[in-house]
């Protein structure tokens, strides 16, 4: 009788250990370990979708593609460097964060207005005909 009870206890304990290991293996929602990173060559959007002097935010890819001057394209992380909100708008030459009002320049991702103090990290892209792709 005591042997049975002991065996059950062992099985329950190992099940709990497996559950604990599963919970600790990630998926905490932290954007510092993005699982949305695409592979090189991934098509992002048509060139024609990026306005001159402005840009487009790709929320799923967490990337913002800008065209500061005609024919010159740039891309940045769409995650604000202040407290990691997703930027929400590109207007009047800046990429704007809705959370606390930071603004970043479309030309280089630098801070135009805080509270953010660091620029948006640049993302590598290529222009392939009429399509902008990850480099
Ligand atoms: S998270 Fe963007 S301004 Fe605070």
């Amino acid at each position: 009788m005591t042997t049975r009870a002991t065996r059950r206890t062992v099985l329950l304990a190992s099940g709990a250990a497996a559950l604990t290991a599963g919970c600790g293996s990630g998926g905490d929602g932290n954007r510092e370990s993005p699982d949305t990173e695409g592979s090189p060559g991934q098509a992002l959007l048509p060139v024609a979708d990026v306005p001159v002097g402005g840009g487009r935010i790709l929320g799923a890819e967490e990337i913002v593609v800008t065209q500061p001057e005609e024919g010159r394209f740039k891309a940045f992380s769409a995650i604000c460097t202040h407290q990691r909100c997703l930027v929400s708008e590109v207007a009047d030459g800046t990429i704007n964060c809705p959370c606390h009002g930071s603004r970043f320049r479309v030309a280089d991702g630098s801070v135009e207005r805080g509270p953010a103090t660091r620029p948006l990290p640049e993302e590598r892209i290529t222009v392939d005909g009429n399509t902008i792709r990850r480099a």
Side-chain angles (χ1 to χ4, degrees):
M1 299 280 171
T2 27
T3 308
R4 257 190 177 169
T6 304
R7 190 175 298 151
R8 265 192 215 130
T9 305
V10 170
L11 290 173
L12 287 172
S14 56
L19 287 173
T20 303
C23 289
S25 63
D28 58 2
N30 187 332
R31 287 192 176 122
E32 285 182 29
S33 53
D35 53 6
T36 53
E37 252 181 50
S39 47
Q42 176 193 7
L44 293 171
L45 76 170
V47 165
D49 283 7
V50 187
V52 176
R56 285 289 297 270
I57 297 163
L58 306 175
E61 292 81 4
E62 297 182 350
I63 190 168
V64 53
V65 178
T66 66
Q67 186 175 188
E69 300 162 15
E70 179 138 18
R72 189 167 69 93
F73 294 90
K74 306 281 281 184
F76 307 96
S77 166
I79 305 302
C80 181
T81 57
H82 177 232
Q83 289 183 2
R84 305 191 59 75
C85 286
L86 185 68
V87 298
S88 64
E89 175 191 50
V90 182
D92 299 326
T94 60
I95 302 160
N96 306 330
C97 179
C99 290
H100 311 98
S102 290
R103 294 173 186 249
F104 305 88
R105 295 178 185 92
V106 296
D108 58 7
S110 63
V111 176
E112 179 168 297
R113 185 173 94 189
T117 58
R118 290 170 292 128
L120 294 175
E122 192 161 353
E123 300 275 343
R124 296 182 57 229
I125 54 169
T126 60
V127 179
D128 176 19
N130 293 323
T131 303
I132 296 175
R133 299 179 182 277
R134 286 188 190 272

